């Protein structure tokens, strides 16, 4: 089968097209004929071995696939790696049947980015109706869905932060009440101004560095910042517990693989609700384009440039 393989860690240049044997499914796993592979920002960290879970070489990257099972069911599935290929093994507990009303590309937009936005709002930040929500990287896969879900979950005001006029206009079309340029010299001041002069209740942050520091300073008493990525590759300042108490604020982190291990059906509940919203036309995944499998390197370059909008996918059949 054709697959993208990494034999040394680094940037997009380490993604190479290769001919590899089909993967051997483990106990309970099924071999999926992949119709689309999802490209996730975490994949860029996996390629350079800077992700939360260390990688080992050689590696076929990718953790999101959509395709057909041997018995003909359309599924979207998660795996720790192996998604950038014509065939991939999927565990039943991390596979979700795609409704007829939902496309493969839409399903891939939901299984990591949609679930991330759902968990951030409902579990990490525990959004209450009427609260204000800041969504950083609002033009990305998580951000475009988080803006919509925040409104669906009852947010009083959604402030979208994005790097270009096109992305900020899209955020407004998706339901944001105000937008902020991500290059604002003082993010604290910009967020408070965009929230009508009031400090904000919830911040969803995957940027890191000064953006995180200045967003924490924009929180209202009992405000929460949910940290789920570090696209800037810059560490924020260490959190001082005394300051959390002094300002009655909370800083929390979220990594989606932990959700997979929770008791109960948290991931299943999230996917069922997301599928239902898309099927009913009440949630619109934003699709940023599909690249042939052989051009995975170009997809990573586009993602790291922060010039993309919405969800990127690979077509293993192209």
């Amino acid at each position: 089968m054709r697959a993208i393989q990494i034999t040394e860690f680094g940037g997009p240049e380490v993604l190479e097209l290769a001919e590899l044997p089909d993967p051997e499914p483990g106990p309970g796993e099924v071999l999926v004929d992949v119709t689309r592979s999802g490209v996730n920002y975490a994949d860029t960290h996996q390629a350079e071995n800077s992700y939360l879970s260390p990688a080992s070489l050689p590696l076929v990257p990718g953790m999101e696939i959509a395709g057909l099972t041997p018995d003909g069911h359309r599924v979207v599935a998660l795996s720790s790696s192996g998604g950038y290929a014509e065939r991939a093994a999927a565990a039943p507990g991390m596979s979700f049947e795609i409704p007829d009303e939902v496309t493969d590309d839409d399903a891939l937009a939901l299984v990591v980015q949609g679930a991330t936005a759902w968990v951030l709002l409902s579990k990490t930040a525990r959004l209450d109706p009427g609260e204000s929500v800041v969504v950083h990287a609002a033009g990305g896969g998580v951000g475009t869905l988080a803006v919509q879900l925040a409104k669906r979950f009852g947010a009083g005001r959604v402030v979208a932060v994005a790097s270009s006029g096109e992305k900020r206009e899209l955020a407004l079309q998706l339901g944001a009440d105000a937008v902020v340029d991500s290059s604002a010299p003082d993010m604290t001041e910009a967020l408070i101004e965009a929230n009508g002069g009031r400090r904000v209740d919830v911040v969803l942050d995957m940027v890191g560095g000064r953006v995180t520091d200045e967003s924490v300073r924009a929180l209202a008493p009992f405000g929460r910042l949910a940290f789920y990525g570090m696209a800037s590759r810059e560490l924020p300042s260490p959190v001082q517990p005394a300051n959390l108490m002094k300002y009655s604020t909370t800083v929390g982190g979220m990594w989606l693989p932990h959700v997979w291990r929770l008791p109960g059906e948290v991931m299943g509940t999230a996917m069922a609700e997301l599928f239902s919203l898309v099927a009913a036309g009440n949630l619109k995944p934003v699709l940023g384009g599909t690249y042939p499998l052989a051009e995975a390197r170009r997809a990573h370059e586009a993602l790291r440039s922060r010039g993309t909008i919405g969800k990127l996918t690979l077509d293993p059949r192209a």
Side-chain angles (χ1 to χ4, degrees):
M1 69 171 187
R2 295 188 314 144
I4 296 296
Q5 187 179 53
I6 295 171
T7 56
E8 60 178 320
F9 293 119
E13 72 281 355
V14 303
L15 276 65
E16 298 285 351
L17 187 66
E19 282 288 339
L20 300 176
D22 287 356
E24 291 288 339
E29 293 184 332
V30 295
L31 191 62
V32 175
D33 282 323
V34 180
T35 56
R36 284 288 192 276
S37 305
V39 181
N40 191 355
Y41 203 89
D43 299 346
T44 70
H45 285 287
Q46 190 181 46
E48 63 186 14
N49 202 24
S50 62
Y51 199 43
L52 292 175
S53 56
S56 58
L57 298 173
L59 169 71
V60 176
M63 61 182 68
E64 315 160 347
I65 58 170
L68 295 173
T69 63
D71 56 2
H73 289 280
R74 291 174 62 232
V75 298
V76 63
L78 293 169
S79 62
S80 58
S81 62
Y84 290 11
E86 292 180 311
R87 282 171 286 283
M94 285 294 102
S95 301
F96 307 93
E97 190 159 350
I98 304 172
D100 291 341
E101 302 87 351
V102 178
T103 69
D104 289 356
D105 292 282
D106 285 345
L108 283 169
L110 300 177
V111 71
V112 168
Q113 280 93 348
T116 294
W118 189 96
V119 172
L120 286 168
L121 290 166
S122 62
K123 294 192 71 68
T124 311
R126 297 187 182 275
L127 175 67
D128 285 329
E131 289 188 315
S132 55
V133 177
V134 172
V135 179
H136 284 292
V142 175
T144 52
L145 292 166
V147 167
Q148 298 175 71
L149 288 175
K151 298 300 284 188
R152 297 288 307 178
F153 292 173
R157 187 170 179 83
V158 174
V159 177
V161 184
S163 60
S164 70
E166 181 185 8
K167 292 181 180 181
R168 293 191 291 274
E169 178 59 33
L170 173 63
L172 291 171
Q173 293 172 10
L174 294 175
D177 299 287
V179 292
V180 168
D181 190 332
S182 61
S183 65
D186 186 334
M187 188 59 67
T188 303
E189 180 181 314
L191 295 181
I192 293 173
E193 181 180 351
N195 196 39
R198 300 178 300 277
R199 292 182 174 274
V200 300
D201 299 307
V202 169
V203 176
L204 308 185
D205 175 32
M206 57 83 68
V207 181
R210 76 160 184 97
V211 169
T212 303
D213 296 336
E214 293 175 6
S215 297
V216 169
R217 290 196 284 272
L219 290 173
F222 301 102
R224 291 88 68 202
L225 182 140
F227 188 76
Y228 68 101
M230 200 165 57
S232 69
R233 288 169 165 77
E234 296 175 1
L235 288 170
S237 301
V239 174
Q240 300 295 327
N243 285 338
L244 299 180
M245 181 176 67
K246 180 178 180 180
Y247 298 105
S248 294
T249 53
T250 298
V251 175
M254 197 282 285
W255 188 36
L256 194 63
H258 288 145
V259 176
W260 310 343
R261 305 170 196 163
L262 289 175
E265 293 292 327
V266 174
M267 189 70 185
T269 299
M271 290 304 297
E273 182 172 349
L274 293 168
F275 279 148
S276 178
L277 288 170
V278 171
N282 294 322
L283 182 67
K284 300 183 184 303
V286 176
L287 306 177
T290 299
Y291 295 76
L293 180 66
E295 297 183 20
R297 179 183 300 183
R298 192 161 65 89
H300 275 225
E301 290 169 347
L303 198 60
R304 291 185 63 152
S305 75
R306 300 184 69 181
T308 63
I309 294 178
K311 181 65 180 174
L312 302 186
T313 59
L314 301 176
D315 184 354
R317 299 176 175 182

